[in-house]
Amino acid sequence: MNKMMLKAGVFALSVISASVMAKVTPEEAARLGNDLTPVGAEMAGNADGSIPAWTGGYSVKADGEIPSRPADPYADDEILFTITSANLDEHKDMLSAGQVAMFEKYPDYKMNIYPTHRSAAYPQEVYDVIKENATNAEMVAGGNGLENFKMHVPFPIPENGLEIIWNHITRYRGGAVQRLVNQFPVLEDGNFVPVLLRESLVFPEYMESGREAADDNILFYFLQEVLAPARQTGTVLLVHETINQVKEGRRAWLYNAGQRRVRRAPNVSYDGPGTASDGLRTSDGLDMFNGAPNKYNWELVGKREMYIPYNNYKLMDTSLSYDDIINAGHMDQDLVRYEKHRVWEVKATLKDGERHIYQTRHMFIDEDTWTASVIDHYDNRGELWRVAEAYSTQFYYHDTPWMAAEALYDLNSGRYVLLGLANEESEYMNFDIEPERSDFSTSALRRMGIR
């Protein structure tokens, strides 16, 4: 079955507030696929040619069995230059404050800058949906919900910061995918104990039966099972992610192996502790940022050029061990690839009367994928605290831009959490699942926990 042969289309959420954001006109939407890419990025390159024009991205139609780890199509690229503490001042204008702080904290830190490849490519059906969204999708409930929206990227021609964040939250990640990956809470001295996770992410349209009435207000289903270490084995998290989390909060349940029971998990949101992250990640820090945007004011600062992680195929290399990649303070930066890309710059500031451990989040969102590529996190004193990076990769056999890993570095403690590596695992990414709705029920959660 072609997962993109969708059985259901537009869903609408009830309007809680009279506040509705404007959609673009058909004339504006006609720019998609012309001077703008089908997802809303600038088609043209930059003035000096260091960012090329987008020409369709990198896509491969394979014959026979598709490997779960794509080979590096840019392995022969040479490093253009390396940023170190010695030449940092020459490049600060292309970095975030958090990236600069990593050089200041770690004298051995560096960034290898490679030629830019605009590799992002999606299925044509996704492009069609995004173009339809451009003239139909609207924000409602003060920006906390969507109306007349299909699946992915409601605002390819955004007018404000909140629309850009919705694009990140709803972006295409394969539709229905299961992955086996590790999370590493890394101590200051570089020691770590891997937490092996099996995760499934499914948008309702990609269910075997397609979107149904039961999926009202559902953006996606998420299932996460802890497989190791032994003391955490059997813990299972189930999330029914709602679109409008003010109308209806995120539905989350946790199966605890020790208690042998399923319980609602209201703390799996906002700054509740992230699963098995040793306190280093908040629940809304998974996937760089997720969940309800209602606690923050979202300011669109503008668009700029910046060095961000991109095409990080090296981080999927099975010849590397986790010890090869993970060092004290940060990953082995010789394994990380950075490129110059255009990003949307959005500043999230905590609203008056709201509480969160992060007062400010300064976000840099890749224009070609709507992925939050770098986020600087500030504490409630306004001090820079943590910096996150998404190590983007194009899974070109499936026309899916996603991440090889994501990291969140704590500048105060010297610890960090790294999620997504599977170099030592026999399994990795599976984009060809055809799940049933019952796979994401509390009964399924209980069965997984006791088997």
Side-chain angles (χ1 to χ4, degrees):
M1 180 181 71
N2 183 345
K3 291 192 295 183
M4 289 303 300
M5 298 298 290
L6 305 177
K7 301 183 179 68
V10 176
F11 63 93
L13 307 179
S14 61
V15 178
I16 298 176
S17 157
S19 173
V20 177
M21 306 299 180
K23 55 203 174 204
V24 304
T25 65
E27 291 75 21
E28 290 175 299
R31 297 178 61 197
L32 299 171
N34 289 295
D35 66 301
L36 299 179
T37 73
V39 303
E42 295 176 45
M43 187 83 76
N46 65 353
D48 65 9
S50 56
I51 298 176
W54 184 81
T55 57
Y58 190 75
S59 175
V60 175
K61 305 307 177 190
D63 295 327
E65 185 176 351
I66 297 174
S68 64
R69 294 174 176 85
D72 186 354
Y74 311 121
D76 293 335
D77 283 357
E78 295 185 359
I79 297 171
L80 297 176
F81 58 90
T82 299
I83 305 175
T84 67
S85 298
N87 64 2
L88 176 61
D89 286 345
E90 302 173 28
H91 303 285
K92 281 185 176 180
D93 61 339
M94 298 294 294
L95 304 173
S96 79
Q99 289 176 311
V100 170
M102 290 294 288
F103 287 93
E104 295 171 345
K105 184 171 181 65
Y106 301 107
D108 66 333
Y109 195 75
K110 63 182 178 180
M111 292 171 59
N112 292 324
I113 310 301
Y114 288 82
T116 297
H117 296 283
R118 297 181 68 181
S119 51
Y122 294 87
Q124 181 60 48
E125 294 89 342
V126 171
Y127 294 146
D128 295 341
V129 163
I130 292 173
K131 191 164 189 176
E132 189 174 342
N133 282 337
T135 56
N136 290 314
E138 297 173 319
M139 286 194 293
V140 297
N144 295 310
L146 300 174
E147 186 175 67
N148 301 321
F149 160 67
K150 283 187 176 180
M151 302 186 304
H152 308 298
V153 186
F155 309 112
I157 307 176
E159 298 179 350
N160 56 63
L162 186 49
E163 290 183 348
I164 290 170
I165 295 308
W166 273 116
N167 289 345
H168 165 78
I169 291 170
T170 62
R171 73 195 190 283
Y172 180 74
R173 282 154 278 175
V177 60
Q178 184 176 89
R179 66 179 190 169
L180 185 71
V181 296
N182 286 275
Q183 179 167 261
F184 305 86
V186 184
L187 300 178
E188 186 177 9
D189 61 6
N191 285 324
F192 59 85
V193 176
V195 180
L196 184 62
L197 304 169
R198 179 175 284 116
E199 298 180 334
S200 298
L201 174 71
V202 179
F203 285 71
E205 288 81 359
Y206 301 85
M207 292 284 188
E208 193 170 27
S209 57
R211 178 175 282 276
E212 297 180 349
D215 304 313
D216 177 53
N217 200 28
I218 295 293
L219 176 62
F220 59 73
Y221 295 92
F222 177 73
L223 190 62
Q224 182 187 70
E225 180 182 9
V226 179
L227 303 179
R231 60 186 171 83
Q232 298 184 48
T233 299
T235 301
V236 191
L237 172 66
L238 171 64
V239 173
H240 294 181
E241 183 74 339
T242 53
I243 290 277
N244 186 334
Q245 294 193 15
V246 174
K247 170 189 173 184
E248 178 186 19
R250 168 182 285 168
R251 309 172 198 164
W253 298 265
L254 189 68
Y255 179 86
N256 185 289
Q259 298 176 348
R260 290 185 172 272
R261 60 182 295 190
V262 174
R263 304 183 68 173
R264 290 298 295 259
N267 290 334
V268 182
S269 61
Y270 302 116
D271 58 0
T275 303
S277 65
D278 199 20
L280 285 166
R281 176 175 58 77
T282 58
S283 288
D284 64 5
L286 181 67
D287 194 39
M288 300 294 283
F289 177 81
N290 72 87
N294 62 303
K295 284 186 176 288
Y296 291 92
N297 292 312
W298 301 89
E299 175 194 355
L300 174 55
V301 179
K303 186 181 275 192
R304 57 177 283 190
E305 297 178 3
M306 185 173 171
Y307 296 129
I308 59 176
Y310 227 88
N311 293 309
N312 275 278
Y313 294 92
K314 283 185 181 179
L315 292 177
M316 297 187 288
D317 189 342
T318 56
S319 69
L320 296 173
S321 70
Y322 302 137
D323 286 326
D324 293 330
I325 299 171
I326 299 172
N327 291 339
H330 54 79
M331 286 192 291
D332 182 345
Q333 287 296 104
D334 279 323
L335 302 175
V336 181
R337 177 185 178 118
Y338 292 86
E339 300 178 1
K340 183 192 291 187
H341 287 262
R342 285 184 293 245
V343 298
W344 293 94
E345 184 175 355
V346 176
K347 186 177 181 180
T349 305
L350 198 62
K351 293 178 179 177
D352 291 341
E354 293 287 358
R355 298 181 63 183
H356 197 289
I357 66 170
Y358 300 135
Q359 180 188 79
T360 304
R361 286 166 138 136
H362 205 157
M363 301 189 174
F364 303 89
I365 293 93
D366 171 39
E367 68 167 348
D368 283 328
T369 64
W370 296 110
T371 299
S373 296
V374 176
I375 303 179
D376 295 340
H377 301 74
Y378 293 78
D379 64 21
N380 283 286
R381 300 169 299 172
E383 299 292 329
L384 182 61
W385 182 7
R386 292 169 172 169
V387 55
E389 289 189 325
Y391 303 98
S392 298
T393 305
Q394 176 72 16
F395 291 86
Y396 48 77
Y397 291 118
H398 305 278
D399 292 338
T400 302
W402 208 2
M403 307 174 192
E406 58 184 301
L408 181 66
Y409 294 103
D410 190 312
L411 295 167
N412 295 336
S413 69
R415 300 162 64 212
Y416 64 101
V417 61
L418 177 62
L419 172 64
L421 299 183
N423 308 68
E424 299 180 18
E425 314 307 325
S426 58
E427 303 175 39
Y428 184 33
M429 305 288 287
N430 183 359
F431 291 92
D432 296 319
I433 62 173
E434 295 184 357
E436 298 180 0
R437 196 162 280 93
S438 59
D439 297 334
F440 297 89
S441 66
T442 54
S443 296
L445 185 69
R446 187 175 294 106
R447 289 193 300 271
M448 291 176 65
I450 64 176
R451 68 185 180 200

